[in-house]
Amino acid sequence: MIHNKKQLPDIQKKAGKALGAFLVVMALLTVLSRAAANIITPRVTCTAPQKTALKYKVTATGTVKEKQQQAVNTVPGIRVKKVLVSEGDHVSEQDVLFEVDMEDLEEKILLKNRELEKLKLSLKDSREKSRLEQQNKNTEQSRAEEDYSRTKESLDAKVQQAYEALAEAQNRLEEFDSQSSGEQENLPDSVEEALIQASDEKHQLLEQAEADADQKKALLEQAKTEQKPQEILAALEKDAEEAENAVQSARDACTSADEALETWQASQEALENQSAGEQRQVLADACTQAENAYEDALRLREEGLAAAQRKMEDTRKPTVPDSTPKTTEMEMKTLQTELDKYTALQKAGGQILSPAEGIVRKVHVEAGSATGEGSSVTLADLSSGYRYTASIPKEQAEIITDGDAVTLKSADGKKTAEGLTIQSITENKENPDLTDITADIEKGEFDADESAVLYAEKNSAVYPCVVPLESLRMEDNQYFVLTVQETENILGNELTAVRINVEVPEKNNTMAALKADGLDADSQIILSSQKTVKAGDRIRPEEE
């Protein structure tokens, strides 16, 4: 309670001053607080997403080489006289690369001609041998067919004679049984006549066989005297041997016929001194013998014809094929081809010329040594154009494809070739982490063995949200970005960092395409900061 009314204005005045001082202090503290917050809060730079495509650039340093190489060959085995080029030399078409020794070449040609002449003689002998063998085979076939015919006629005649003798013996036995013994004695002895006739025929065949054998022996002796080829002598010796066998067979036939006649005559004499019963028994025995002889004749006919048939079939068998003439002809063609090459080299004076303008890559011959089977000189064929080759890391090779446009520039920047296309992209054989790329170049744009730099650019599809690569963050294998958002607290509105998870469908070495809800063209994505910034931290964007 205030007892003195005069003191009241003084108290109010003091209270007003105190309140004013308090407000001043509070304002000052607020200013200081904001100043301190501004000092502590990280300053960040931001970027806005762009709707654009990702750009890829490939740069590679390589070398211009020839598009193809050409092997210069010559005939092997010729001594080299001079080598006129070295590796790296630039040669024009028809320039002399090296020369061979003409004396050695002419000696080789002489030897090749001798070899060819030997093959010609060998081919002639082979053909003559084949002709003689075919002739002998035809002769054997003809003789086998003639022998079969003669054997058939002879054996058929024997069977017929045996059949007639059997019929005669059976008739005599039947007549003996039906007629008296007196009438029997007056019957004509046709069996004896048939046996006499058969004996005479066999002796005639023996005389013919002996004459034929003497003739063939004479032909053989004449051929030996005239020194005929061994093939002819062998054929005549075989004929003489067959003729001698025929003589022996005729002798055996004569002996058999004579013995049959003698046996019959002896039986007839025995009949004259025998009784009727004994005579009948003799006739029955003769009938049995004639029947056996007939059966033997049939068997011999079957066996003889089978043997003659087999001999005739043997002569018709195909002979073993002889490939000697064909092989010799092939060898002659090969040798003639080689000889033509030797002769062409001789006409060229032993000089080996460059087939085109190029650069000598390798020389495989040296003076004094002989030419080999392979290439003598390997030539970079400059007439076919040039090819640029470079090796790049595999991840860069995945950016480009066959047919992409590229630009080449020389190392000094003075030469440029634009509008070239990539011809091939293949794995490097020595290093699997590298990839080889090639591009063809027209003649005149660059020189062989010249270094050049390749430039290639390629754009991806257009993405609606593309940001610099440094704005992309990762945590636990999850990509995310920090965006700037305004929030309200006791100190007023302030800016904070907010995390937004994103997907990255594609990125290059500077930019990344993002896919996420909540990002649009107005989004402010933190690109960099003065201090480390995490989600929820207050931030202060740098003023532009």
Side-chain angles (χ1 to χ4, degrees):
M1 182 176 182
I2 303 175
H3 299 282
N4 192 348
K5 292 182 179 181
K6 294 181 178 181
Q7 293 178 344
L8 182 58
D10 295 334
I11 295 173
Q12 290 178 344
K13 187 176 181 180
K14 290 180 180 180
K17 291 181 179 179
L19 179 60
F22 174 77
L23 293 175
V24 171
V25 172
M26 289 298 295
L28 180 61
L29 290 175
T30 300
V31 172
L32 292 176
S33 175
R34 287 186 175 275
N38 289 335
I39 294 174
I40 297 173
T41 300
R43 288 179 297 175
V44 297
T45 57
C46 300
T47 184
Q50 300 177 11
K51 183 178 180 181
T52 184
L54 298 179
K55 294 184 178 181
Y56 296 93
K57 293 184 179 181
V58 176
T59 303
T61 301
T63 306
V64 177
K65 292 287 186 180
E66 64 278 2
K67 186 181 294 185
Q68 66 181 26
Q69 292 185 346
Q70 188 168 349
V72 181
N73 302 315
T74 187
V75 289
I78 307 298
R79 188 167 56 249
V80 178
K81 183 178 181 180
K82 295 179 182 178
V83 179
L84 304 177
V85 294
S86 301
E87 293 183 6
D89 287 353
H90 189 287
V91 295
S92 300
E93 186 177 357
Q94 298 300 309
D95 281 354
V96 181
L97 302 178
F98 63 95
E99 297 179 0
V100 298
D101 191 314
M102 290 298 294
E103 292 183 0
D104 188 44
L105 177 60
E106 291 171 357
E107 182 179 349
K108 293 293 190 302
I109 292 176
L110 179 61
L111 293 176
K112 292 292 181 182
N113 280 319
R114 289 178 180 175
E115 291 180 18
L116 186 59
E117 189 62 30
K118 289 180 181 179
L119 289 177
K120 289 180 180 179
L121 294 174
S122 177
L123 179 60
K124 181 180 179 181
D125 293 343
S126 297
R127 288 175 174 171
E128 181 65 19
K129 180 181 177 182
S130 299
R131 187 188 66 80
L132 291 175
E133 288 178 351
Q134 185 62 39
Q135 180 179 344
N136 292 336
K137 183 176 178 62
N138 294 337
T139 302
E140 289 178 359
Q141 289 179 355
S142 299
R143 289 177 179 174
E145 293 173 357
E146 292 173 0
D147 291 344
Y148 179 83
S149 298
R150 285 198 301 267
T151 300
K152 187 176 185 302
E153 291 176 1
S154 175
L155 294 176
D156 286 347
K158 288 182 179 181
V159 170
Q160 182 63 29
Q161 291 172 3
Y163 175 76
E164 293 173 354
L166 174 61
E168 181 65 26
Q170 290 175 344
N171 290 334
R172 287 178 65 85
L173 181 59
E174 291 174 358
E175 290 175 358
F176 184 85
D177 290 337
S178 61
Q179 298 179 5
S180 63
S181 59
E183 294 173 348
Q184 289 286 331
E185 294 175 356
N186 296 326
L187 290 174
D189 196 351
S190 60
V191 174
E192 183 176 3
E193 292 176 359
L195 292 175
I196 291 173
Q197 183 181 357
S199 177
D200 292 341
E201 290 177 356
K202 295 297 183 291
H203 281 282
Q204 291 177 2
L205 292 175
L206 175 61
E207 291 176 0
Q208 293 176 1
E210 289 176 343
D212 184 58
D214 291 340
Q215 182 181 3
K216 290 181 177 178
K217 287 181 181 178
L219 291 174
L220 176 61
E221 293 300 327
Q222 182 179 357
K224 289 182 178 179
T225 303
E226 295 177 357
Q227 296 183 349
K228 295 288 185 180
Q230 187 62 35
E231 292 82 358
I232 297 177
L233 293 177
L236 292 175
E237 288 176 354
K238 186 175 182 180
D239 291 343
E241 183 180 353
E242 291 177 353
E244 189 63 33
N245 292 335
V247 170
Q248 186 61 40
S249 299
R251 287 196 184 114
D252 294 340
C254 287
T255 302
S256 299
D258 292 342
E259 290 177 353
L261 178 60
E262 292 174 359
T263 300
W264 174 258
Q265 290 174 346
S267 66
Q268 289 299 101
E269 292 176 359
L271 283 174
E272 295 176 357
N273 299 323
Q274 292 175 347
S275 62
E278 292 175 340
Q279 289 181 10
R280 189 185 186 288
Q281 183 61 44
V282 170
L283 290 174
D285 292 342
C287 186
T288 301
Q289 292 177 359
E291 185 176 358
N292 293 335
Y294 177 66
E295 292 177 355
D296 289 343
L298 289 175
R299 177 178 56 79
L300 291 174
R301 178 180 179 276
E302 182 178 357
E303 294 177 352
L305 289 179
Q309 180 69 27
R310 283 194 297 270
K311 184 176 181 181
M312 187 168 58
E313 291 174 353
D314 289 342
T315 60
R316 293 174 180 173
K317 289 182 179 179
T319 57
V320 178
D322 184 10
S323 61
T324 303
K326 188 66 176 179
T327 303
T328 304
E329 288 178 357
M330 294 170 63
E331 292 177 355
M332 288 175 59
K333 289 181 180 179
T334 301
L335 189 58
Q336 185 63 55
T337 301
E338 294 177 357
L339 185 58
D340 291 343
K341 293 179 180 179
Y342 280 91
T343 305
L345 183 58
Q346 183 184 36
K347 291 180 179 179
Q351 294 182 338
I352 311 301
L353 308 180
S354 173
E357 178 189 2
I359 298 175
V360 178
R361 292 300 185 197
K362 290 183 180 180
V363 179
H364 305 280
V365 294
E366 58 182 14
S369 64
T371 56
E373 293 287 345
S375 171
S376 299
V377 175
T378 302
L379 193 68
D381 187 358
L382 301 184
S383 62
S384 62
Y386 299 87
R387 176 166 292 166
Y388 171 84
T389 303
S391 297
I392 61 176
K394 183 173 291 186
E395 57 270 16
Q396 290 190 25
E398 295 175 354
I399 299 173
I400 56 179
T401 58
D402 291 348
D404 284 353
V406 295
T407 299
L408 285 185
K409 292 185 179 181
S410 60
D412 57 10
K414 295 181 179 180
K415 295 180 181 179
T416 301
E418 297 179 345
L420 305 180
T421 56
I422 295 177
Q423 298 296 322
S424 65
I425 301 175
T426 57
E427 183 178 294
N428 188 282
K429 296 180 180 179
E430 298 179 356
N431 187 349
D433 293 331
L434 295 178
T435 300
D436 294 336
I437 57 174
T438 64
D440 289 348
I441 308 171
E442 295 296 331
K443 184 177 179 182
E445 294 181 336
F446 285 84
D447 297 327
D449 300 330
E450 184 175 359
S451 295
V453 181
L454 177 143
Y455 298 93
E457 293 186 2
K458 194 171 184 180
N459 295 335
S460 70
V462 176
Y463 291 98
C465 183
V466 177
V467 298
L469 192 62
E470 54 263 38
S471 65
L472 190 63
R473 304 163 189 263
M474 176 179 281
E475 184 177 62
D476 296 331
N477 294 325
Q478 174 64 57
Y479 283 114
F480 67 95
V481 295
L482 295 177
T483 62
V484 179
Q485 290 189 12
E486 186 175 359
T487 59
E488 185 178 352
N489 56 25
I490 59 174
L491 297 178
N493 293 336
E494 60 182 8
L495 301 178
T496 59
V498 177
R499 171 173 170 163
I500 297 179
N501 291 337
V502 297
E503 294 180 9
V504 183
E506 188 174 353
K507 62 180 179 177
N508 60 16
N509 58 343
T510 60
M511 305 293 285
L514 305 183
K515 182 179 180 182
D517 296 334
L519 290 180
D520 54 31
D522 296 328
S523 298
Q524 292 295 307
I525 299 175
I526 297 176
L527 184 64
S528 62
S529 62
Q530 180 187 13
K531 299 178 181 180
T532 301
V533 176
K534 297 183 294 182
D537 289 348
R538 289 188 303 164
I539 56 174
R540 183 161 58 94
E542 290 279 2
E543 295 183 0
E544 296 181 359

